Amino acid sequence: MKKILIVDDSQVWRTYLQNLLEKHGHTTEVAKDGLEGLNKFFMFLPDIVILDYVMPKLNGIHFTRFIRSFNAFKNVGILMLTGAEETINRFWAKKAEQMHF
């Protein structure tokens, strides 16, 4: 099973996703914002990150760009979510995903 980090400022979504994923045998960690997410990322070293696009302190794009700046993490799966009224800027999402140094 996979190690999955959930980064979202919504307690409801963090709890829902954590319960769902753990029910299917995955190991999870949660963080309430992007900065906490980065700290947990480097301690937990997940296989997959599920994160919100709009968060306090560090949004999903900046989080992804930082993680992708490390070649060692180029294969970590990243799934970015957003609320119904928000739209993800496709240009920056694609740019963040392709960062490899």
Side-chain angles (χ1 to χ4, degrees), residues 20-77:
L20 178 68
L21 294 166
E22 287 180 354
K23 179 180 173 182
H24 291 282
H26 301 290
T27 304
T28 65
E29 283 286 333
V30 296
K32 66 182 182 294
D33 61 54
L35 286 179
E36 183 181 2
L38 281 181
N39 288 328
K40 294 239 177 151
F41 180 90
F42 288 105
M43 292 184 341
F44 184 55
L45 299 174
D47 302 302
I48 300 168
V49 179
I50 300 173
L51 72 154
D52 192 4
Y53 177 63
V54 177
M55 293 182 290
K57 300 183 183 176
L58 188 71
N59 69 32
I61 295 292
H62 292 121
F63 181 99
T64 302
R65 290 184 75 189
F66 186 76
I67 295 304
R68 292 294 189 233
S69 71
F70 296 90
N71 200 34
F73 303 126
K74 69 179 181 178
N75 292 322
V76 172

